[in-house]
């Protein structure tokens, strides 16, 4: 049996020494020593941060082996580079905090309820009894019908005296009229049918006659929705463990920023674009650093996301103006405009574009930054151009999947609208240029342009950062230490 020595990458130095200790200083990027130093004559350990651990070996000249373990994340960048990144992000973070303080709304402004759509007083209720009756008898004697699903027009007239209807008794479970009951008539052709014991949501109109003050508007879905959210949370924690827990916390914080800052600030009359930029920046900083840690790698992802959001905001404002999109295209936006005429609806549309693009942007920028860092650790000698070329090749696959995801997401949300245009046999140009569809097209294309741009921008930033890293005096380069950790299996025995 013959034994040969295969040098790791980078070479750790002389393969074997006997005699007095040679010192424990770094050598050949791996920091090998002998005679009881940090690395002995037969192997060494290198941590991911560049610190060395004692190796294990045997004193036989013809038999030697080494062990290596890589612990934790990639080695941190130098102090000089951290100062450069901090000089950019600390003022930006301070500006976001100032924006939150200045624009903080302190709650949504009060208003007189219109009683239309979602702007109604609602209570929880239970269907206590359901009887089958003749539609002719109940329509002749009168009675409340299921408001949101009641039939209208010729179809309702034809069904008025035909078929079997349901007469439901509903008990109000919350509010000042708790325990009060009322009757709901359900026509046979209505989409939603009531069943005994079903939990429902009822609308209350105080100005209506007493017998007509309450009407069923929806089904109570609190339990199935809470159960689904619980399954989602368990799945995230089981698979993601601690990082999954942090992701859920970041999700909760993002929701709080949205509901406590962004929405009330817009209702208070603040500029929707400014509110969206400040709120999205706060969500970005909290979510990225909470999920991925306070590191240079995360900071580069933050910078890439910030540049891409600025591009999305600029393109969105330009094309929303050029296309003369008002942002007031359906019942919901019309109701908002009626209740709060001071709200800039086109600005609200732009704010939605920015907020909607943020979640996917985070995914792209973090992935690209991690890819460049891993490439640098695998080959520390690669310059920034090589890192950029290799990273952009990874990013091209990401671009194709992300753009397709966005388009399909918007198409799925607007599918009923697209069906209406298909039924009307409208031409493609007519459909695409109508304001209702043009809003979605602008939203999709502007967001996709920002996502596409985030790949080269983030890849270039990450490549420049890791390539410009300067090791501190007296310490091995972080990349060299990480490479030593990965290649520290040292001398392996060949048979």
């Amino acid at each position: 049996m013959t034994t040969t020595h295969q040098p790791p990458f980078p070479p750790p130095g002389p393969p074997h020494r006997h005699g007095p200790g040679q010192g424990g200083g770094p050598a050949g990027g791996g920091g090998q020593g002998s005679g009881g130093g940090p690395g002995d004559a037969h192997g060494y350990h290198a941590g991911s941060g560049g610190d060395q651990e004692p190796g294990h070996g045997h004193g036989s000249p013809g038999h030697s082996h080494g062990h290596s373990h890589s612990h934790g994340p990639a080695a941190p960048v130098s102090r000089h580079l951290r100062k450069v990144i901090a000089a950019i992000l600390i003022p930006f973070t301070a500006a976001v905090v100032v924006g939150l303080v200045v624009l903080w709304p302190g709650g949504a402004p009060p208003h007189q309820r219109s009683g239309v759509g979602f702007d109604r007083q609602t209570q929880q209720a239970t269907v206590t009894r359901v009887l089958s009756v003749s539609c002719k008898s109940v329509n002749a004697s009168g009675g409340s019908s299921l408001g949101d699903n009641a039939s209208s027009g010729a179809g309702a007239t034809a069904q008025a005296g035909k078929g079997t209807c349901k007469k439901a008794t509903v008990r109000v479970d919350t509010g000042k009229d708790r325990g009060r009951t009322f009757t709901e008539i359900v026509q046979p052709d209505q989409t939603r049918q009531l069943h005994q014991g079903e939990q429902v949501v009822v609308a209350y109109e105080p100005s209506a006659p007493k017998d007509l003050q309450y009407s069923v508007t929806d089904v109570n879905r609190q339990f199935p929705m809470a159960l689904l959210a619980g399954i989602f949370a368990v799945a995230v924690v089981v698979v993601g463990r601690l990082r999954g827990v942090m992701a859920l916390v970041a999700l909760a914080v993002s929701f709080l920023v949205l509901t406590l800052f962004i929405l009330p600030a817009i209702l208070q009359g603040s500029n929707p674009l400014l509110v969206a930029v400040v709120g999205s920046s706060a969500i970005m900083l909290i979510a990225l650093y909470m999920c991925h840690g306070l590191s240079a790698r995360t900071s580069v992802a933050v910078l890439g996301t910030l540049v891409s959001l600025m591009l999305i905001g600029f393109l969105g404002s330009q094309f929303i103006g050029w296309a003369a999109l008002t942002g007031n295209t359906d019942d919901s936006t019309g109701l908002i405009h009626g209740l709060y005429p001071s709200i800039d609806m086109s600005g609200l549309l732009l704010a939605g574009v920015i907020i909607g693009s943020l979640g996917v942007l985070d995914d792209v920028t973090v992935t690209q930054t991690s890819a460049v860092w891993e490439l640098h650790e695998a080959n520390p000698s690669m310059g920034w151009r090589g890192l950029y070329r290799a990273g952009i090749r990874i990013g091209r696959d990401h671009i194709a999947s992300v753009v397709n995801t966005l388009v399909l997401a918007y198409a799925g949300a607007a599918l009923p609208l697209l069906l209406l245009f298909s039924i009307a046999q409208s031409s493609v140009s007519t459909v695409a240029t109508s304001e209702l569809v043009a809003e979605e097209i602008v939203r999709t294309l502007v967001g996709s342009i920002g996502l596409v741009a985030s790949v080269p921008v983030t890849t270039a930033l990450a490549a420049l950062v890791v390539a410009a890293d300067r090791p501190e005096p007296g310490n091995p380069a972080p990349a060299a230490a990480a490479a030593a950790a990965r290649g520290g299996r040292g001398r392996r025995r060949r048979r």
Side-chain angles (χ1 to χ4, degrees):
M1 177 181 67
T2 60
T3 302
T4 59
H5 305 290
Q6 179 180 356
F9 180 79
H16 190 78
R17 293 180 187 271
H18 294 281
Q22 304 297 323
Q32 179 179 340
S34 60
D40 66 9
H42 303 285
Y44 61 91
H45 289 274
S48 62
D51 297 328
Q52 298 163 356
E53 301 174 5
H56 305 283
H58 304 284
S60 172
H63 186 141
S64 65
H65 68 275
H67 299 280
S68 169
H69 303 279
S70 178
H71 305 283
V77 298
S78 65
R79 183 178 301 174
H80 168 78
L81 203 52
R82 290 199 298 269
K83 289 181 178 179
V84 173
I85 296 174
I88 300 174
L89 287 181
I90 289 179
F92 169 69
T93 304
V96 172
V97 173
V98 170
L100 288 172
V101 173
V102 172
L103 297 173
W104 193 264
H111 73 279
Q112 187 69 30
R113 289 185 180 273
S114 65
V116 178
F118 291 103
D119 194 38
R120 290 180 289 185
Q121 299 183 42
T122 59
Q123 302 293 342
Q124 305 299 319
T126 303
V127 179
T128 58
R129 186 174 61 174
V130 177
L131 298 176
S132 297
V133 295
S134 168
C135 289
K136 184 177 181 179
S137 63
V138 294
N139 286 322
S141 61
S144 174
S145 62
L146 199 56
D148 284 355
N149 294 286
S151 303
S152 60
T157 304
Q159 292 289 339
K162 298 180 181 180
T164 302
C165 293
K166 290 183 179 180
K167 184 177 182 180
T169 302
V170 183
R171 183 189 67 237
V172 180
D173 295 333
T174 59
K176 64 182 181 64
D177 291 330
R178 181 177 180 181
R180 176 178 168 181
T181 60
F182 66 95
T183 301
E184 188 86 14
I185 303 300
V186 184
Q187 301 291 338
D189 60 336
Q190 289 176 194
T191 303
R192 182 179 295 121
Q193 298 290 314
L194 298 181
H195 308 281
Q196 185 171 341
E198 188 174 21
Q199 303 293 316
V200 294
V201 178
V202 296
Y204 173 64
E205 179 51 60
S207 62
K210 187 173 182 180
D211 293 341
L212 302 176
Q213 286 181 336
Y214 283 96
S215 61
V216 177
T217 62
D218 207 347
V219 175
N220 188 334
R221 302 181 180 88
Q222 291 181 356
F223 177 74
M225 299 300 290
L227 178 62
L228 181 60
I231 295 173
F232 165 74
V234 170
V236 170
V237 172
V238 169
V239 177
R241 298 186 179 180
L242 180 59
R243 184 160 292 187
V245 173
M246 299 308 295
L248 291 176
V249 174
L251 178 62
V253 172
S254 300
F255 182 76
L256 289 177
V257 172
L258 181 65
T259 55
L260 297 181
F261 172 71
I262 295 178
L263 299 180
I266 292 175
L267 291 178
Q268 289 280 14
S270 300
N271 186 291
L273 176 58
L274 183 60
V275 171
V277 169
V278 173
S280 298
S281 299
I283 291 173
M284 173 185 66
L285 291 170
I286 294 171
L288 286 179
Y289 283 117
M290 187 173 289
C291 293
H292 304 285
L294 189 64
S295 64
R297 179 186 297 188
T298 307
S299 298
V300 172
V302 169
L303 289 174
T305 305
L306 176 60
V307 173
S308 302
L309 280 179
M310 292 172 60
L311 177 62
I312 290 174
F314 172 75
L315 290 177
S317 62
Q318 294 298 316
F319 282 95
I320 287 176
W322 288 342
L325 299 178
T326 63
N328 188 2
T329 54
D330 55 23
D331 294 339
S332 298
T333 54
L335 178 60
I336 293 172
H337 184 66
L339 295 174
Y340 299 93
S342 61
I343 293 180
D344 180 8
M345 299 304 295
S346 61
L348 186 63
L349 173 62
L350 179 57
V353 173
I354 294 175
I355 295 173
S357 302
L358 178 61
V360 190
L361 269 178
D362 288 352
D363 173 53
V364 173
T365 55
V366 169
T367 300
Q368 287 304 114
T369 305
S370 298
V372 173
W373 243 263
E374 293 298 328
L375 288 168
H376 182 62
E377 290 182 15
N379 186 2
S381 63
M382 188 182 296
W384 81 267
R385 288 184 177 85
L387 288 170
Y388 176 79
R389 286 194 294 266
I392 205 68
R393 285 196 294 269
I394 298 173
R396 289 191 184 107
D397 290 335
H398 210 172
I399 287 173
S401 60
V402 165
V403 169
N404 198 41
T405 299
L406 270 184
V407 172
L408 291 180
Y410 286 127
L415 195 58
L417 176 64
L418 297 178
L419 284 175
L420 288 177
F421 281 111
S422 178
I423 292 171
Q425 297 182 350
S426 302
S427 65
V428 174
S429 61
T430 302
V431 173
T433 56
S434 64
E435 183 171 6
L436 201 56
V437 177
E439 279 189 5
E440 300 302 325
I441 292 176
V442 170
R443 193 196 312 269
T444 302
L445 295 183
V446 168
S448 298
I449 291 171
L451 290 173
V452 170
S454 70
V455 172
V457 168
T458 308
T459 304
L461 287 173
L464 287 171
V465 166
V466 296
D469 193 15
R470 301 177 184 175
E472 298 176 12
N475 293 329
R486 292 177 177 271
R489 295 194 180 275
R491 297 171 290 279
R492 291 195 297 269
R493 191 172 52 174
R494 289 185 179 177
R495 298 183 183 273

